[in-house]
Amino acid sequence: MNIPEIAARALPLLDLTSLNDGDTEETINELARKAVTPAGHVAAVCIWQRFVAYANPILDQRLGLATVVNFPSGSEDRKVIESDIKAAIANGADEIDLVFPYQQFLAGKRTYARDIVAAARQSCAHGVLLKVILETGELQTTAAIREASEAAILSGADFLKTSTGKTKVGATLAAARTMLEVIHDMDPEVGFKASGGVRTAGDAGAYLALADEIMGEGWASPETFRFGASGLLDDLLRTLGHAPAVPGAASGY
């Protein structure tokens, strides 16, 4: 694929994201405007939970509305996680990006980590996507990433996501390969999301090529593959011959 073909393929797979401390309702307005472009619309927007009720009525109804839970540390209490998920769904969220309790997992609390994902799955209403953020840069080793991926899938994850974008190491192709191999072997209906450092059409193309290699061409669709980013959209639009939709775009991951 050439770069314009990659950009056209990647744009509808994008979770347009803003998770900055200084986000405001104006930030959300800009994000909503950016999400529908001359080249098509993104898959979803991903925002803080406190903005979900505000965003729901102003978003194009073709878009998913995602929010983050147990974010970014992965250390919230189970009851808080369950309450946050239920409140987000009640306010209009239809996609939940849950941080896997990676610190507890690394400390040997494997059952606890699985139970948190299972509790989140149970709290999600029918049809709500549960994306589990493994924070692969903190898990570090292939063995840990593989085991966490397996645990998340067995506990009910609809998607495996690489990163919060809030740690030193975001998405990497090595981690993505491990995650996609687990998905291939366990359940090809589980999706994959790369987030943290995917900024250009070239970056996106590398992850799409990896998905094609492992999962087969045609597997990557908005139902099975996402990019979590904000600045990526501007590069995709420039590649496709369109100016960025909104000057001074909000930054996320």
Side-chain angles (χ1 to χ4, degrees), residues 35-55:
V36 180
T37 83
H41 63 82
V42 303
V45 299
C46 185
I47 56 178
W48 291 114
Q49 185 176 338
R50 65 182 181 270
F51 295 114
V52 169
Y54 176 80

Side-chain angles (χ1 to χ4, degrees), residues 65-181:
L65 177 50
T67 193
V68 290
V69 174
N70 202 25
F71 187 93
S73 68
S75 58
E76 292 282 3
D77 179 78
R78 172 175 172 168
K79 290 183 179 179
V80 172
I81 292 168
E82 291 171 334
S83 176
D84 284 349
I85 290 173
K86 291 173 182 176
I89 294 170
N91 285 328
D94 46 28
E95 302 187 4
I96 301 295
D97 287 31
L98 170 84
V99 179
F100 186 74
Y102 61 90
Q103 296 178 67
Q104 292 90 337
F105 182 83
L106 289 171
K109 298 180 180 179
R110 304 297 207 255
T111 300
Y112 173 86
R114 290 194 296 269
D115 286 349
I116 288 292
V117 178
R121 172 75 274 163
Q122 190 170 6
S123 297
C124 287
H126 178 72
V128 173
L129 283 180
L130 178 62
K131 307 191 202 97
V132 178
I133 308 170
L134 299 182
E135 200 66 287
T136 54
E138 297 297 305
L139 293 175
Q140 296 186 348
T141 68
T142 298
I145 294 167
R146 182 176 299 279
E147 187 175 349
S149 298
E150 292 170 349
I153 292 174
L154 288 172
S155 300
D158 295 308
F159 266 73
L160 301 181
K161 177 177 171 181
T162 59
S163 323
T164 62
K166 301 294 186 181
T167 59
K168 184 180 295 185
V169 178
T172 67
L173 288 168
R177 177 176 289 279
T178 299
M179 295 163 70
L180 285 164
E181 286 173 349

